[in-house]
């Protein structure tokens, strides 16, 4: 099957990355707001700790919605094409995010405010549940086999780019506004900006072509009638659970650094909010820059081997990371965050190629998306809540290190039980008679 040539591949991968960045920008804007302001604004009748836990609870609802979104959009992607998923998921997430920026607070409408926030966060998660599968599959199914990890790593850089956009705006506002101004209206600006970014992303994605593998399926009329049911048959449910357990380490470390540590550093260590955001953003930038390089290694050495190396590195680094965070010194905290990001980045750099390669084309969108987003529930939804509860009091939060190490070992075991999928030289030559 002919694949897109490099210039076309770059345009396609860039469009996927841009949309992924915008959708994760929407998602991360909420995470930062949950760590900084949503507790006192939407849950003012409880203690600060309980308010933070409640805000992280609404944050977690987005992750619970993501597997539901992956089932919904996975069905669309496997039945009607990968391209429609890109448009619909971006539109839904963008509208819900702007809605968060317009939501009245508890002081305005009472108990209805947190309920509205919960509903909007659910819609955000629903849209993002379809985003990853659509963007990664569109790239993976156009890419030459011998460079599939590299090209799919571009959509994988979308989350770091989205995080930097969201927190860059928050950092600017935090540095230029007073605390009262930021609490009154400044926190809403990143959500309002989502509308402009979503419109730009829709324009980019409207020009993307459908993948050759799906077009071949449609020509033969071999689409699965009920993709989720097909995924759950014949042992594929085991693949879903193993991939969910495998990718959970990335979610856990990412949100421990970007969400929990922000709340812990500013609330319990007394570190300036701007300093914490700057340290976290630098670490995320390092992840984004390193992802394509690590993906190249995945094309050479295999997907599974990099995933095993990443999980092992995370397990070895969590106690040092917590010790460095506990110092409250920016340079040491930054070191802890950067190494943690690069450690799990070894695995996240190749999962865009790895997960789709585990499933047949007719159920690929559903299978890969459900596994990836279930990992988000295990890692992303639970981690900020668990870490906040475990870090209570003035003692060093070693229990958080134990928790994160445990997640890393779980992911290590899951990846160990999965097969290697990197195409052999013979298979690559058969798939790509004119390699790009």
């Amino acid at each position: 099957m002919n694949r897109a040539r490099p210039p076309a591949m770059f345009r396609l991968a860039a469009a996927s990355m841009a949309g992924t960045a915008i959708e994760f920008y929407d998602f991360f804007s909420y995470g930062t707001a949950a760590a900084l302001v949503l507790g006192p604004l939407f849950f003012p009748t409880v203690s600060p700790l309980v308010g933070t836990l409640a805000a992280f609870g609404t944050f977690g609802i987005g992750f619970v919605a993501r597997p539901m979104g992956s089932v919904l959009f996975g069905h669309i992607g496997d039945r009607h094409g990968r391209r429609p998923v890109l448009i619909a998921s971006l539109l839904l997430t963008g509208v819900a995010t702007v809605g968060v920026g317009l939501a009245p607070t508890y002081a305005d409408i009472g108990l209805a405010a947190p309920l509205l926030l919960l509903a909007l966060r659910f819609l955000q998660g629903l849209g993002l549940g379809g985003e990853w599968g659509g963007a990664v599959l569109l790239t993976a199914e156009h890419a030459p086999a011998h460079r599939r990890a590299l090209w799919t790593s571009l959509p994988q850089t979308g989350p770091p780019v989205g995080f930097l956009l969201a927190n860059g705006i928050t950092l600017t506002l935090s540095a230029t506004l007073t605390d009262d101004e930021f609490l009154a209206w400044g926190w809403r600006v990143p959500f309002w900006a989502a509308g402009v970014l979503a419109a730009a992303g829709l324009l980019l994605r409207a020009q993307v072509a459908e993948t050759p593998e799906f077009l071949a399926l449609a020509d033969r009329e071999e689409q699965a009638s009920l993709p989720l049911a097909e995924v759950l048959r014949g042992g594929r449910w085991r693949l879903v659970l193993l991939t969910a357990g495998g990718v959970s380490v990335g979610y856990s470390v990412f949100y421990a650094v970007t969400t929990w540590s922000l709340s812990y550093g500013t609330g319990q260590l007394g570190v300036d909010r701007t300093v914490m955001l700057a340290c976290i953003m630098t670490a995320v930038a390092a992840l984004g820059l390193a992802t394509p390089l690590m993906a190249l290694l995945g094309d050479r050495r295999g997907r599974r081997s990099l995933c095993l190396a990443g999980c092992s590195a995370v397990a070895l680094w969590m106690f040092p990371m917590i010790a460095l965070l506990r110092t409250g010194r920016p340079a040491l905290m930054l070191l802890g965050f950067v190494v943690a990001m690069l450690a799990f980045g070894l695995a996240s750099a190749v999962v865009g190629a790895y997960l789709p390669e585990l499933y047949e084309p007719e159920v690929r969108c559903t299978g890969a998306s459900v596994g990836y987003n279930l990992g988000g529930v295990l890692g992303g939804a639970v981690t900020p809540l668990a870490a906040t509860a475990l870090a209570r009091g003035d003692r060093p939060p070693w229990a958080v290190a134990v928790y994160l190490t445990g997640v890393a070992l779980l992911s290590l075991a899951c990846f160990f039980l999965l097969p290697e999928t990197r195409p052999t030289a013979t298979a690559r030559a058969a798939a790509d008679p004119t390699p790009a």
Side-chain angles (χ1 to χ4, degrees):
M1 184 181 297
N2 291 329
R3 303 290 179 168
R5 304 299 294 177
M9 269 309 309
F10 184 80
R11 290 193 297 270
L12 186 147
S16 293
M17 184 194 75
T20 304
I22 292 164
E23 291 216 42
F24 276 90
Y25 163 89
D26 297 347
F27 210 69
F28 292 143
S29 294
Y30 191 99
T32 303
L36 297 177
V37 300
L38 294 187
L41 288 175
F42 288 85
F43 306 95
T45 60
V46 296
S47 70
L49 174 63
V50 175
T52 300
L53 286 169
F56 281 150
T58 61
F59 177 73
I61 288 296
F63 285 98
V64 174
R66 283 174 64 170
M68 300 179 192
S70 66
V71 171
L72 171 63
F73 288 105
H75 182 90
I76 295 171
D78 285 326
R79 289 287 300 157
H80 305 290
R82 316 326 187 188
R83 185 175 177 273
V85 173
L86 297 183
I87 305 297
S89 61
L90 181 56
L91 183 62
L92 176 58
T93 308
V95 170
T97 304
V98 174
V100 173
L102 298 173
T105 65
Y106 190 94
D108 298 317
I109 59 173
L111 185 60
L115 295 178
L116 176 61
L117 192 68
L118 198 69
L120 291 168
R121 180 61 174 171
F122 181 87
L123 293 176
Q124 259 194 334
L126 203 67
L128 194 61
E131 165 60 28
W132 183 86
V136 167
L137 260 66
L138 195 83
T139 307
E141 292 184 349
H142 275 288
H146 72 296
R147 286 289 180 264
R148 188 174 292 133
L150 173 63
W151 287 115
T152 55
S153 75
L154 293 186
Q156 286 296 93
T157 64
V161 172
F163 181 87
L164 292 173
L165 281 173
N167 286 276
I169 294 174
T170 302
L171 181 60
T172 302
L173 292 167
S174 178
T176 56
L177 299 178
T178 66
D179 286 345
D180 288 342
E181 289 172 332
F182 186 80
L183 200 64
W185 58 269
W187 70 272
R188 296 181 182 272
V189 174
F191 296 97
W192 297 339
V196 178
L197 294 173
L202 288 171
L203 288 175
L204 278 173
R205 289 191 162 182
Q207 305 171 39
V208 170
E210 186 53 77
T211 73
E213 289 197 37
F214 180 80
L215 291 175
L217 279 176
D219 287 343
R220 299 191 303 266
E221 298 184 351
E222 293 180 355
Q223 302 102 307
S225 57
L226 290 171
L228 180 62
E230 291 294 325
V231 166
L232 296 179
R233 293 177 192 154
R236 293 193 193 97
W237 60 269
R238 183 174 177 269
L239 283 179
V240 172
L241 294 180
L242 288 175
T243 52
V247 301
S248 64
V249 65
Y251 283 103
S252 290
V253 176
F254 191 91
Y255 287 102
V257 171
T258 61
T259 303
W260 168 73
S261 69
L262 178 61
S263 176
Y264 179 80
T266 56
Q268 291 183 247
L269 299 180
V271 180
D272 182 75
R273 180 171 61 207
T274 302
V275 171
M276 286 300 302
L277 283 172
C279 290
I280 291 167
M281 289 174 64
T282 303
V284 173
L287 171 65
L289 291 171
T291 293
L293 299 176
M294 293 187 285
L296 271 174
L297 189 60
D299 276 325
R300 290 176 177 271
R301 301 297 181 186
R303 294 45 161 139
R304 179 174 174 268
S305 58
L306 254 70
C307 290
L308 294 175
C311 294
S312 300
V314 169
L316 292 171
W317 187 248
M318 289 302 94
F319 277 90
M321 185 192 79
I322 293 299
L324 293 169
L325 170 63
R326 179 70 179 177
T327 67
R329 297 171 62 183
L332 295 179
M333 292 191 299
L334 176 60
L335 174 63
F337 295 160
V338 168
V339 176
M341 288 288 180
L342 295 180
F344 90 80
L346 285 168
S348 68
V350 296
V351 296
Y354 195 16
L355 269 62
E357 287 171 346
L358 289 167
Y359 296 91
E360 298 88 347
E362 59 269 23
V363 296
R364 185 172 287 155
C365 195
T366 299
S369 296
V370 171
Y372 185 82
N373 286 292
L374 278 176
V377 177
L378 294 173
V382 175
T383 295
L385 286 166
T388 300
L390 291 171
R392 297 175 65 178
D394 296 327
R395 291 175 296 177
W398 299 123
V400 177
V402 173
Y403 171 82
L404 294 172
T405 302
V407 174
L409 294 176
L410 169 66
S411 294
L412 181 70
C414 290
F415 281 127
F416 182 80
L417 294 172
L418 287 169
E420 178 57 72
T421 62
R422 183 175 70 98
T424 63
T426 302
R428 293 197 299 268
D432 305 309
T434 55

